[in-house]
Amino acid sequence: MKGLARIKQDELGWVEKETPKIGPYDALVKPLALAPCTSDVHIVWGNAYMGSEPNRIVGHESTGEIVEVGSMVKDFKPGDRVIVPAITPNWSTVNSQKGFGQHCYGMGSGMSFVSAKDGTFAEYYHVNDADGNLALLPDNVSLEQAVMISDMMTTGFYGAELAEVKPGDTVAVFGIGPVGLMGVAGAYHMGASRILAVGSRPAAVKVAKEYGASDIIDYHNGSTVEQIMDLTDNEGVDKVIVAGGNENTLGEGLTVLKFGGVLGNVLHYDGVEKIPVPALGWGAGLSDKTIRGGVCPGGRARMEQLVKLIQYGRFDSSKLITHKFTNFEDIEEAMIIMRDKPKDLIKPAVILE
Amino acid sequence: MKGLARIKQDELGWVEKETPKIGPYDALVKPLALAPCTSDVHIVWGNAYMGSEPNRIVGHESTGEIVEVGSMVKDFKPGDRVIVPAITPNWSTVNSQKGFGQHCYGMGSGMSFVSAKDGTFAEYYHVNDADGNLALLPDNVSLEQAVMISDMMTTGFYGAELAEVKPGDTVAVFGIGPVGLMGVAGAYHMGASRILAVGSRPAAVKVAKEYGASDIIDYHNGSTVEQIMDLTDNEGVDKVIVAGGNENTLGEGLTVLKFGGVLGNVLHYDGVEKIPVPALGWGAGLSDKTIRGGVCPGGRARMEQLVKLIQYGRFDSSKLITHKFTNFEDIEEAMIIMRDKPKDLIKPAVILE
Amino acid sequence: MKGLARIKQDELGWVEKETPKIGPYDALVKPLALAPCTSDVHIVWGNAYMGSEPNRIVGHESTGEIVEVGSMVKDFKPGDRVIVPAITPNWSTVNSQKGFGQHCYGMGSGMSFVSAKDGTFAEYYHVNDADGNLALLPDNVSLEQAVMISDMMTTGFYGAELAEVKPGDTVAVFGIGPVGLMGVAGAYHMGASRILAVGSRPAAVKVAKEYGASDIIDYHNGSTVEQIMDLTDNEGVDKVIVAGGNENTLGEGLTVLKFGGVLGNVLHYDGVEKIPVPALGWGAGLSDKTIRGGVCPGGRARMEQLVKLIQYGRFDSSKLITHKFTNFEDIEEAMIIMRDKPKDLIKPAVILE
Amino acid sequence: MKGLARIKQDELGWVEKETPKIGPYDALVKPLALAPCTSDVHIVWGNAYMGSEPNRIVGHESTGEIVEVGSMVKDFKPGDRVIVPAITPNWSTVNSQKGFGQHCYGMGSGMSFVSAKDGTFAEYYHVNDADGNLALLPDNVSLEQAVMISDMMTTGFYGAELAEVKPGDTVAVFGIGPVGLMGVAGAYHMGASRILAVGSRPAAVKVAKEYGASDIIDYHNGSTVEQIMDLTDNEGVDKVIVAGGNENTLGEGLTVLKFGGVLGNVLHYDGVEKIPVPALGWGAGLSDKTIRGGVCPGGRARMEQLVKLIQYGRFDSSKLITHKFTNFEDIEEAMIIMRDKPKDLIKPAVILE
């Protein structure tokens, strides 16, 4: 079978491999929809690949059709159309039992795609523990919608959940790339009254407003901290979601946060050695401002929970997709677009039907 | 001054009293909007009045204008238009410090209106701890909207909060009187994907749908439990809000609840001695289905938090008002309508501007 | 192999069966310690057996030595001495992913012993998902201590956890059978300042005091509710654990609970159809007294967490054992003692080394 | 009256002032026990004084006897012996209603002593909201024990609470000054199985062990991170309390924390501009390691909750006191000792009876 791989550092290319073998609890899936993620870009052209193996097929966002299931799989069968989460934990480890399947064996190891085996940008891919990690695609949910759940929606909503957004809260969302936009949507669906979204690209601003942002903070207009304090009569915000920015964003978020507030971080501080926490903004350790940050949850229960928002008409996750392709081989161009980030890009996707 | 009082058991009537005196931390308020509550009806014509004093002025839902403030009041002044919560705790008691101001001195004692002093259906009324218990009425929030926050919105939303509704949850709401409708809205704003609302009166059904109910369960069509199980493919619901019904409703709620689910009760089991919990529906005590139930929170922080949902355009609390009056004296007719509950009634209100 | 079985309703007896076959993720274990539970008694002589199969081997409390492991088991090998929890979930189901492995497929189904396969009172028994459900027995933890973790300690501590005991809390524990005694210990280790334990049998009273009970409430001396209110200057208690009693105990617990308190139930209301919640004690639904109740968590992470309290010298779980046997066949007598409950009994156990 | 004051920067001295006037809800208290805190030292000889007023009397830890109460005080009277918390919030503000009385008006403003009025090192001092902020001293609690509750015990226990210590947890406590020792005790009373305490001074090490530390990590023996990882078989710890150290301690704590763990900070990062969070130890923002940090809660409910642990014999808070004085004027020497920190010092106190 054919797959799009990190041939070696800085080189993306097609490889021909054997179709994966599946174990008794696993499934073999062929893609119906694929989307590249910033982390795929970092794996190929950055320093995010932790493995040593060359020719590793990349990709972890997908929706697919089951081709084969192992003998012990009970709830799925060939032909089923399924949402495939980026995070497919071994649910049985001690970390998973404690509620952190995303770190089932260690940091972020719930994402076995790419880190432990070939990813989803292939004609077929392997999913461990099909009963525990797949969710049926409801008939009225489109492939465009479904493929945005695997990582974007679960991560962005997790940001809002980490921040413990409550009805009536004023929430600042730093960064309105695809994850930040989902953070806006998550905050909205948890009852935020105001959502101050930090970003400037017109395509993203448009979707941010559609997803519930009440105000857009553009850093071209001056300090984001000052703009947020102005908009809130110097009271600051109840909750903060950090979904984009740089090593100073955490500190900006803390600075605009009220005492007793919570900051939910889903930004990967890539290439940063020390993330500075400003003593002033954090009350020198004593402000009762909580800092949480993590990898999105995955697995079947999570996918089933999230897809219901789409299935029952409360949310349209597909608005992220600005660049749509229709052939399997287009995933290469989608990766390159993701790397080059043209101005009008939020998220590319390959939809195969 | 004039006020509408419980003259004695079963007798509602007008009384003439002295304008209340205020202490240094208090405010004197004149009503701009008033609404009767089922509990006012129970106080006059039922057995809900706990006091011994005749001629007690009733009413606890209101929005008003400040006429006078005590010498220690810092944040409010005469002329300010304010949301007045039904629950105005002494925030300093041990119970309040533990997070239960609604029970500041004991069961439900955070509602000092009627229980400890004259209520709000008067030309002037007394508010204890103005800085702690009043919230400024934002310019763009109508009196109709504001007066529905004092008790209806905070109670209904509390039901959803007690039930710990999370994005994607399927939620059953038992009862779509005004509190239940606010429970529907609360569940919606906390991210419910499906809201199965139990009720049948057309006026309420219409608002339930506008507030986010996805399905209406009418008990005229058979067992509510069976209808809910059918609609959920026998899986049941993630969360339950009980806002209306009788002594068996708690048990019905538990029966349709999934293992690990939470039931939030805001129904007052009035006149019931024992509320039966069916062993089968509650797993004989071992189902990990949590039962919570309480009085709505009040006070300034709560009012400020809730009004923001209206102020920033996310919610219109005024849809509850089916019967609107415009003269102060009409509060008597509003009370009688509340007692007689005509078919098209959700909630009456007197709006004085 | 030989096993002690429910031959049929009301008949306990020995059976000869084939040694269980194990799958690739499972383990075959031979017992080093066994203990009967009240629920074993109910399975044989009550109505608690939900299955249809005769000759089902009973028992779910044990510590053992691994005899064989499946090909996919990574962390255990033959010869390892292991704590075996009563609850051995399939960690991969939707319920498990939501934190309720004890109900992995449905009510209490995490306990596969007896309900879905033969139990532990056999020369060999099968453990599903060895890596997820076994915990190594530390060298300095005795078999007497270990076998009390499987169900007694995890259940009693869960009662204290459900009740959300916090440092300084006054806690009432209803029932000081073996689970209630562990509830006392759990409350103690979560920081209770006072533990009012309801019970009267001298053997249990002695251990209750050693485990941290500050006061013993004997119902022979009058109403337990009144005694608790007297001891607390009519303030009541912060938290309640219900571990024994009858259908009225839940109501008694609610009656002595402060507003805003939490009741954690681990009592199985066996043979009760309706558990009455007294409106007075529960504030007619509005007292903000939370009722939680569930099956103990099991699995590896839970066992590893609990055994550390014993391993590092903070707790001695073996004090429950009043009747100790030393031969495998003695499990029959232990079962009969458990059924007949002599006055000096807390818990019998068979210790094979 | 006489009081020990910050005359001006770097100058401690006695002043003569008028006895404070009290309002209707306040109390006038004369000290029975006093203790200086590191923050008093920072106020006089460091840069911690935020006010502009010279001759401000310092001190916030005390137990006292009521001399006079305002006309509205209901639960206390002259002659009552009372625990006086360092934090005496206005319980009525929006922040207080949200559960953060310690920041009632803004950062740390719940401590009105010294920051907003004269402190406790005086012949008489003023306590705002007596009913909300004082707690009766039980007869069997000594002054030595009581005066350690006001700040040391509530702060140290808060560290353990912020860290969400659960039964069985392995906990690292960084710093075993008086607050860190109370963090050890807090972790112990919340059920920690192992407590790895970082410190080296023999007097503190002795009390740490008595309060429940299972292991002492001495940085003189090498990297604390490495020692903790060695002691935990490279697994790290479940929870961390940071109660002492420098700007790198937060990072060390995060580094030894397991995925999904929680760090509770009660260290004031005094004089530090940026507290660095190491990307490696925090999983570059994605490790699901939560960082919490705050000022201790105060007020009556908190004091009543904590003193019960002493009153009912579960904890002896007085072990912190290594240097005991008996005359009021000795508070000056106690301050100087606190500044100079002799090797055998944990905490000085002046006990006046």
Side-chain angles (χ1 to χ4, degrees):
Chain A
M1 67 168 204
K2 209 171 154 182
L4 186 65
R6 175 192 177 278
I7 305 295
K8 60 177 201 286
Q9 183 62 33
D10 294 328
E11 184 178 341
L12 180 73
W14 292 94
V15 293
E16 190 69 33
K17 293 198 173 184
E18 281 193 29
T19 301
K21 300 272 176 294
I22 60 168
Y25 294 91
D26 305 334
L28 186 71
V29 177
K30 69 172 184 187
L32 297 172
L34 293 170
C37 177
T38 304
S39 59
D40 290 309
V41 171
H42 288 177
I43 283 166
V44 177
W45 293 286
N47 296 302
Y49 184 55
M50 307 307 279
S52 57
E53 198 183 315
N55 300 325
R56 176 60 57 91
I57 294 171
V58 294
H60 56 263
E61 298 183 33
S62 70
T63 298
E65 182 185 315
I66 295 181
V67 172
E68 186 190 347
V69 295
S71 58
M72 302 298 289
V73 173
K74 286 182 286 193
D75 298 345
F76 298 94
K77 60 184 189 308
D80 284 347
R81 294 158 75 95
V82 288
I83 303 164
V84 184
I87 302 285
T88 56
N90 174 345
W91 288 103
S92 191
T93 74
V94 166
N95 283 359
S96 296
Q97 291 178 28
K98 289 181 174 175
F100 294 97
Q102 59 271 56
H103 308 294
C104 53
Y105 303 112
M107 181 63 212
S109 55
M111 194 167 95
S112 57
F113 290 127
V114 189
S115 74
K117 64 183 179 188
D118 281 323
T120 62
F121 296 169
E123 289 176 293
Y124 302 97
Y125 54 84
H126 171 276
V127 176
N128 57 300
D129 188 4
D131 283 332
N133 284 318
L134 295 174
L136 276 179
L137 179 67
D139 285 344
N140 68 338
V141 173
S142 72
L143 292 175
E144 285 88 340
Q145 291 173 322
V147 76
M148 289 297 103
I149 305 174
S150 305
D151 185 354
M152 296 300 98
M153 184 177 176
T154 184
T155 300
F157 273 60
Y158 192 48
E161 291 162 325
L162 287 174
E164 300 173 21
V165 175
K166 299 203 182 330
D169 276 350
T170 300
V171 180
V173 180
F174 286 79
I176 50 172
V179 166
L181 288 170
M182 286 296 187
V184 168
Y188 181 86
H189 285 285
M190 293 178 79
S193 60
R194 301 180 73 186
I195 300 173
L196 316 183
V198 180
S200 61
R201 298 195 313 159
V205 166
K206 177 174 176 293
V207 176
K209 288 179 177 170
E210 291 172 12
Y211 278 180
S214 51
D215 300 87
I216 304 294
I217 315 293
D218 184 342
Y219 73 90
H220 299 95
N221 298 339
S223 150
T224 56
V225 166
E226 280 173 28
Q227 290 183 69
I228 291 171
M229 296 312 286
D230 281 353
L231 278 166
T232 57
D233 291 329
N234 276 313
E235 287 204 352
V237 299
D238 299 298
K239 306 292 164 57
V240 166
I241 301 169
V242 175
N246 57 35
E247 73 265 35
N248 294 316
T249 310
L250 183 74
E252 292 174 16
L254 289 169
T255 301
V256 300
L257 194 57
K258 291 183 190 174
F259 299 109
V262 187
L263 180 150
N265 178 78
V266 286
L267 173 62
H268 184 224
Y269 293 92
D270 199 22
V272 176
E273 205 180 319
K274 304 270 185 188
I275 308 155
V277 170
L280 195 64
W282 198 43
L286 303 183
S287 61
D288 285 285
K289 300 180 183 179
T290 295
I291 307 168
R292 307 179 78 199
V295 172
C296 66
R300 177 176 176 174
R302 177 76 174 176
M303 294 300 109
E304 288 183 354
Q305 181 85 358
L306 292 177
V307 77
K308 288 198 294 180
L309 285 167
I310 301 163
Q311 181 181 2
Y312 292 101
R314 293 216 47 197
F315 180 58
D316 179 3
S317 55
S318 71
K319 293 188 176 188
L320 297 186
I321 302 177
T322 50
H323 292 64
K324 181 173 157 184
F325 300 87
T326 54
N327 296 305
F328 173 63
E329 289 77 10
D330 295 339
I331 189 64
E332 184 175 10
E333 191 179 337
M335 274 289 288
I336 287 166
I337 275 189
M338 197 70 194
R339 181 192 66 189
D340 296 345
K341 291 198 195 305
K343 272 217 153 167
D344 58 346
L345 177 78
I346 298 176
K347 187 87 182 180
V350 179
I351 308 297
L352 294 172
E353 276 187 0
Chain B
M1 69 168 201
K2 207 170 154 182
L4 186 65
R6 174 192 177 280
I7 304 296
K8 60 178 199 287
Q9 184 62 31
D10 294 328
E11 184 178 341
L12 180 73
W14 291 95
V15 292
E16 190 68 35
K17 294 197 174 186
E18 281 193 29
T19 300
K21 302 272 176 291
I22 61 169
Y25 293 92
D26 305 334
L28 187 70
V29 176
K30 69 170 184 189
L32 296 173
L34 293 170
C37 178
T38 303
S39 60
D40 291 308
V41 171
H42 288 176
I43 282 166
V44 178
W45 294 285
N47 297 300
Y49 184 55
M50 308 307 278
S52 56
E53 198 182 316
N55 299 326
R56 176 60 60 90
I57 295 171
V58 294
H60 56 263
E61 299 184 33
S62 70
T63 298
E65 182 184 314
I66 294 180
V67 173
E68 187 190 344
V69 295
S71 59
M72 302 298 288
V73 173
K74 287 181 286 193
D75 298 346
F76 298 93
K77 58 181 191 309
D80 283 349
R81 296 159 72 94
V82 287
I83 303 165
V84 183
I87 301 285
T88 56
N90 174 344
W91 288 102
S92 192
T93 74
V94 166
N95 283 359
S96 296
Q97 291 178 30
K98 289 181 174 174
F100 295 96
Q102 59 270 57
H103 307 295
C104 53
Y105 302 113
M107 181 64 213
S109 55
M111 194 168 95
S112 56
F113 290 127
V114 190
S115 74
K117 66 182 179 189
D118 280 323
T120 61
F121 295 169
E123 287 176 295
Y124 301 97
Y125 53 84
H126 170 277
V127 176
N128 56 301
D129 189 3
D131 282 334
N133 284 320
L134 296 174
L136 277 179
L137 179 67
D139 285 343
N140 69 338
V141 173
S142 72
L143 292 175
E144 284 88 341
Q145 292 172 322
V147 76
M148 289 298 102
I149 306 174
S150 304
D151 186 353
M152 296 301 98
M153 186 178 174
T154 182
T155 300
F157 273 61
Y158 192 48
E161 292 162 326
L162 287 173
E164 300 173 22
V165 176
K166 298 203 182 330
D169 276 350
T170 299
V171 180
V173 180
F174 286 78
I176 51 173
V179 166
L181 288 170
M182 286 297 187
V184 168
Y188 182 87
H189 285 285
M190 294 178 80
S193 60
R194 301 180 74 186
I195 300 174
L196 316 184
V198 180
S200 62
R201 297 196 312 158
V205 166
K206 177 174 175 291
V207 177
K209 286 179 179 170
E210 289 172 14
Y211 278 180
S214 51
D215 300 86
I216 304 294
I217 315 293
D218 185 342
Y219 72 92
H220 299 94
N221 298 338
S223 149
T224 55
V225 166
E226 279 173 28
Q227 290 182 69
I228 292 171
M229 296 312 287
D230 280 353
L231 278 166
T232 58
D233 291 329
N234 276 312
E235 287 204 351
V237 299
D238 299 299
K239 306 292 165 56
V240 167
I241 301 170
V242 175
N246 57 35
E247 73 264 34
N248 294 316
T249 311
L250 183 74
E252 290 174 16
L254 289 169
T255 302
V256 300
L257 195 57
K258 290 184 191 174
F259 300 108
V262 186
L263 180 150
N265 179 76
V266 287
L267 172 62
H268 184 224
Y269 294 90
D270 200 20
V272 176
E273 205 180 320
K274 304 269 183 188
I275 309 154
V277 170
L280 195 64
W282 199 43
L286 302 183
S287 62
D288 285 285
K289 300 179 183 180
T290 294
I291 306 169
R292 309 179 77 200
V295 173
C296 66
R300 177 177 178 175
R302 177 75 174 177
M303 294 299 110
E304 289 183 353
Q305 182 85 359
L306 292 177
V307 77
K308 289 197 295 181
L309 284 168
I310 301 163
Q311 181 181 2
Y312 292 102
R314 292 216 49 197
F315 180 57
D316 180 3
S317 53
S318 71
K319 294 189 177 188
L320 297 186
I321 302 178
T322 49
H323 293 65
K324 182 175 158 184
F325 301 87
T326 54
N327 297 305
F328 173 62
E329 289 77 10
D330 296 339
I331 188 64
E332 185 176 8
E333 191 178 339
M335 274 289 287
I336 287 166
I337 277 190
M338 198 68 193
R339 182 193 63 187
D340 295 345
K341 288 199 196 310
K343 272 216 154 167
D344 59 344
L345 176 78
I346 298 176
K347 187 88 181 176
V350 178
I351 308 298
L352 294 172
E353 277 186 0
Chain C
M1 69 167 204
K2 209 172 152 180
L4 186 65
R6 176 191 177 280
I7 303 295
K8 61 177 198 287
Q9 184 62 30
D10 294 327
E11 184 177 343
L12 180 73
W14 292 94
V15 293
E16 190 68 35
K17 294 197 174 185
E18 280 194 28
T19 301
K21 301 272 176 296
I22 60 168
Y25 293 91
D26 305 332
L28 186 71
V29 177
K30 69 172 184 188
L32 296 172
L34 293 170
C37 177
T38 303
S39 59
D40 291 308
V41 170
H42 288 177
I43 283 165
V44 177
W45 292 287
N47 296 302
Y49 183 56
M50 308 308 279
S52 57
E53 197 183 317
N55 299 325
R56 177 60 58 89
I57 294 172
V58 294
H60 56 263
E61 299 183 33
S62 69
T63 298
E65 182 183 314
I66 295 180
V67 173
E68 186 189 345
V69 295
S71 59
M72 301 299 288
V73 173
K74 286 182 285 193
D75 298 346
F76 297 94
K77 59 181 188 313
D80 283 348
R81 295 159 73 95
V82 288
I83 303 166
V84 183
I87 302 286
T88 56
N90 174 345
W91 288 102
S92 190
T93 74
V94 166
N95 283 359
S96 296
Q97 291 178 30
K98 289 180 173 175
F100 295 96
Q102 60 269 57
H103 308 294
C104 53
Y105 301 112
M107 180 64 213
S109 56
M111 194 167 93
S112 57
F113 290 127
V114 188
S115 74
K117 66 182 178 188
D118 281 322
T120 62
F121 296 169
E123 287 176 294
Y124 301 97
Y125 54 85
H126 170 278
V127 176
N128 56 300
D129 189 4
D131 282 334
N133 284 319
L134 296 174
L136 276 180
L137 179 67
D139 285 344
N140 68 338
V141 173
S142 72
L143 292 175
E144 284 88 343
Q145 291 173 323
V147 76
M148 290 298 101
I149 304 175
S150 305
D151 186 354
M152 296 300 98
M153 185 177 174
T154 183
T155 299
F157 273 61
Y158 191 48
E161 291 162 326
L162 287 174
E164 299 174 21
V165 175
K166 299 206 182 328
D169 276 350
T170 299
V171 180
V173 180
F174 286 78
I176 51 172
V179 166
L181 289 170
M182 286 297 188
V184 168
Y188 182 87
H189 285 286
M190 293 178 80
S193 60
R194 300 180 75 186
I195 300 173
L196 315 184
V198 180
S200 61
R201 298 197 310 158
V205 166
K206 178 174 176 292
V207 176
K209 287 179 178 170
E210 290 172 13
Y211 277 180
S214 52
D215 299 86
I216 303 295
I217 315 294
D218 185 342
Y219 72 91
H220 298 95
N221 298 338
S223 148
T224 56
V225 166
E226 280 173 27
Q227 291 183 69
I228 291 171
M229 296 312 287
D230 280 353
L231 277 166
T232 58
D233 292 330
N234 277 312
E235 288 204 349
V237 300
D238 298 299
K239 306 292 165 57
V240 166
I241 301 169
V242 175
N246 57 36
E247 73 264 36
N248 294 316
T249 310
L250 184 74
E252 291 174 16
L254 289 169
T255 302
V256 300
L257 194 57
K258 290 183 191 175
F259 301 109
V262 186
L263 180 150
N265 179 77
V266 286
L267 173 62
H268 183 224
Y269 293 92
D270 199 22
V272 176
E273 206 181 319
K274 304 270 183 187
I275 308 156
V277 170
L280 195 64
W282 198 42
L286 303 182
S287 62
D288 285 286
K289 300 180 183 179
T290 295
I291 306 170
R292 309 178 76 199
V295 172
C296 66
R300 177 176 177 175
R302 176 76 175 176
M303 295 298 110
E304 288 183 355
Q305 183 84 359
L306 292 178
V307 75
K308 289 198 294 180
L309 285 167
I310 301 164
Q311 181 181 3
Y312 292 101
R314 291 216 50 198
F315 179 57
D316 179 3
S317 54
S318 71
K319 292 188 177 188
L320 298 187
I321 302 177
T322 50
H323 293 64
K324 182 174 158 184
F325 300 88
T326 54
N327 296 305
F328 173 63
E329 289 77 9
D330 295 339
I331 189 64
E332 185 176 9
E333 191 179 338
M335 275 290 287
I336 287 166
I337 276 189
M338 197 68 193
R339 182 192 65 188
D340 295 345
K341 290 200 195 306
K343 272 217 153 167
D344 58 344
L345 176 79
I346 299 176
K347 187 87 181 180
V350 178
I351 307 300
L352 294 171
E353 277 189 359
Chain D
M1 68 166 202
K2 209 170 154 183
L4 186 65
R6 176 192 176 280
I7 304 295
K8 59 177 201 285
Q9 184 62 32
D10 294 328
E11 185 178 342
L12 181 73
W14 291 95
V15 292
E16 189 69 32
K17 293 198 174 183
E18 280 192 29
T19 301
K21 300 272 176 294
I22 61 168
Y25 292 93
D26 305 334
L28 187 70
V29 177
K30 71 172 183 187
L32 296 173
L34 293 170
C37 177
T38 303
S39 60
D40 291 306
V41 170
H42 288 176
I43 283 165
V44 178
W45 293 287
N47 295 302
Y49 184 57
M50 308 308 280
S52 56
E53 198 184 315
N55 300 326
R56 176 59 57 90
I57 294 171
V58 294
H60 56 264
E61 299 183 32
S62 71
T63 297
E65 183 184 315
I66 294 181
V67 173
E68 187 189 344
V69 295
S71 59
M72 301 298 289
V73 173
K74 286 181 286 192
D75 298 346
F76 297 93
K77 59 181 190 309
D80 283 349
R81 296 159 73 94
V82 288
I83 304 165
V84 183
I87 302 286
T88 57
N90 175 345
W91 287 103
S92 191
T93 73
V94 166
N95 283 359
S96 296
Q97 291 177 29
K98 288 181 175 176
F100 295 96
Q102 60 270 56
H103 308 294
C104 53
Y105 302 113
M107 181 64 212
S109 56
M111 195 167 95
S112 57
F113 291 126
V114 190
S115 73
K117 65 181 179 189
D118 282 322
T120 61
F121 296 169
E123 287 175 295
Y124 301 96
Y125 55 84
H126 171 277
V127 176
N128 57 300
D129 188 3
D131 282 334
N133 284 320
L134 295 174
L136 277 179
L137 179 66
D139 286 344
N140 69 337
V141 173
S142 73
L143 293 175
E144 284 89 341
Q145 290 172 323
V147 76
M148 290 298 103
I149 305 175
S150 305
D151 186 352
M152 297 299 99
M153 185 177 173
T154 183
T155 300
F157 273 60
Y158 192 49
E161 291 162 326
L162 287 173
E164 299 173 22
V165 175
K166 297 203 183 332
D169 276 350
T170 299
V171 180
V173 180
F174 286 80
I176 51 172
V179 166
L181 289 170
M182 286 296 187
V184 168
Y188 182 85
H189 285 285
M190 293 178 79
S193 60
R194 302 180 73 186
I195 301 173
L196 316 183
V198 180
S200 62
R201 298 195 313 157
V205 166
K206 178 174 174 292
V207 176
K209 287 179 177 170
E210 290 172 12
Y211 277 180
S214 52
D215 300 86
I216 303 294
I217 314 294
D218 184 343
Y219 72 92
H220 299 95
N221 299 338
S223 150
T224 56
V225 166
E226 280 174 27
Q227 290 182 71
I228 291 171
M229 295 312 285
D230 281 353
L231 277 166
T232 58
D233 291 331
N234 276 312
E235 287 206 351
V237 299
D238 299 298
K239 307 291 164 56
V240 166
I241 301 169
V242 174
N246 57 35
E247 74 264 35
N248 293 316
T249 310
L250 184 74
E252 290 174 17
L254 289 169
T255 302
V256 299
L257 195 57
K258 290 184 191 175
F259 301 108
V262 186
L263 180 149
N265 180 76
V266 287
L267 173 62
H268 184 223
Y269 294 91
D270 200 22
V272 176
E273 205 180 320
K274 304 270 184 188
I275 308 155
V277 169
L280 195 63
W282 198 43
L286 303 183
S287 63
D288 285 286
K289 300 179 183 180
T290 294
I291 307 170
R292 309 179 76 199
V295 172
C296 66
R300 176 176 177 174
R302 177 76 174 175
M303 294 298 111
E304 288 184 354
Q305 182 86 357
L306 292 177
V307 76
K308 289 198 294 180
L309 285 168
I310 301 164
Q311 180 181 2
Y312 293 101
R314 292 216 48 195
F315 180 57
D316 180 3
S317 55
S318 71
K319 294 190 176 188
L320 297 186
I321 302 177
T322 49
H323 292 66
K324 182 174 159 184
F325 301 88
T326 54
N327 296 305
F328 173 63
E329 289 77 10
D330 295 340
I331 188 64
E332 185 175 10
E333 190 178 339
M335 275 290 287
I336 287 166
I337 276 189
M338 198 70 194
R339 181 193 63 189
D340 295 345
K341 289 200 196 304
K343 272 217 154 166
D344 57 347
L345 177 78
I346 299 175
K347 188 87 181 179
V350 178
I351 307 299
L352 294 172
E353 277 187 0

